[in-house]
Amino acid sequence: AHGPMKTDPNYPYVSQCQNGACLGGNYRPPIVDTKDPILKPWAAKHMQETNEEALSGKMAIPFTSQSRCWPGGVPGQLLFLQPMYFIQTPKQVWMIWERDNFVRRIYLTDQHSKNVKPSWFGESIGHYEGGDTLVVDTIGLAGGKNHYIDSFRTPHTEKLHVVERVT
C-alpha cells in the first residue's frame, strides 16, 4: 500500500495550526512532495502550482473545504479532528460530524445504484467482515475545483473509487 501523501523533504511542515485555525502567527501551509509517483501528471502540476503560491507568500491560508464550512469529502472528512458519531440501523450506518452536522450515509446493500449523481460524500455501500469491520465502497464523488481527498489539496476526478475499512 502507498500510504498518505508526504511533505516535500526540503520544506518540513511545522505548524501550530489545526483545521486552519492558527494559534501563532507562523503559519505556512504544508508543501507537498509533488514528485510522488502515485500522482498523475495533471494532479502533480496542480499541487506544484499551489506549493509555489504558498512559498511566494501569495497564499496566506490555502483553500480547504472545512474552512469554508463545506464537507471534506471521502476520505478527507475523516482527517479533521472533530467529534463524530456512528448510528447504525439494519439498513444504514450514519457517520455524523458534530461540526456543521454533516451526515454521510452508508447503505448496507450489495450494489451501487445504476445512476449515481456525484456529490461531496458520493454513494457509499457497506458490509461487515469478521463481525467488527465495516467495509465501505464509495463511488460518485464530485470532482473538480475545490474537491480534494486530503489536507494537501490532492485533487481527484469523478472517477475516484474509495474503499475504507473501519474496525
Side-chain angles (χ1 to χ4, degrees):
H2 175 273
M5 295 297 300
K6 293 183 174 50
T7 56
D8 185 319
N10 296 319
Y11 300 96
Y13 182 61
V14 178
S15 175
Q16 296 179 10
C17 294
Q18 176 182 321
N19 295 339
C22 295
L23 303 175
N26 302 326
Y27 178 67
R28 184 193 71 217
I31 305 301
V32 72
D33 179 6
T34 58
K35 297 190 181 8
D36 189 311
I38 200 168
L39 293 173
K40 299 281 186 187
W42 67 268
K45 180 179 183 285
H46 169 82
M47 295 171 82
Q48 185 59 41
E49 289 168 358
T50 301
N51 283 350
E52 290 169 9
E53 274 188 283
L55 291 169
S56 73
K58 290 181 187 175
M59 176 190 299
I61 296 178
F63 174 89
T64 62
S65 55
Q66 286 83 356
S67 69
R68 304 300 193 276
C69 299
W70 295 352
V74 175
Q77 185 70 27
L78 297 172
L79 300 174
F80 288 81
L81 303 175
Q82 55 186 266
M84 65 177 289
Y85 308 92
F86 286 82
I87 296 176
Q88 182 174 328
T89 71
K91 294 184 179 184
Q92 293 182 31
V93 174
W94 288 14
M95 298 170 76
I96 304 173
W97 284 267
E98 184 176 85
R99 185 174 131 197
D100 298 319
N101 297 308
F102 293 131
V103 178
R104 179 177 170 201
R105 291 167 180 83
I106 301 161
Y107 300 95
L108 301 175
T109 184
D110 59 350
Q111 62 184 9
H112 286 286
S113 303
K114 291 198 187 292
N115 297 308
V116 178
K117 181 181 176 189
S119 64
W120 284 101
F121 290 134
E123 181 184 75
S124 297
I125 62 169
H127 66 274
Y128 283 93
E129 288 182 357
D132 66 350
T133 300
L134 177 62
V135 179
V136 183
D137 184 288
T138 304
I139 62 170
L141 293 158
K145 184 176 172 63
N146 298 332
H147 288 270
Y148 305 112
I149 63 169
D150 59 19
S151 54
F152 283 123
R153 298 166 312 282
T154 305
H156 66 84
T157 68
E158 290 183 358
K159 293 179 181 179
L160 180 64
H161 185 162
V162 178
V163 178
E164 302 159 285
R165 302 177 79 76
V166 181
T167 301

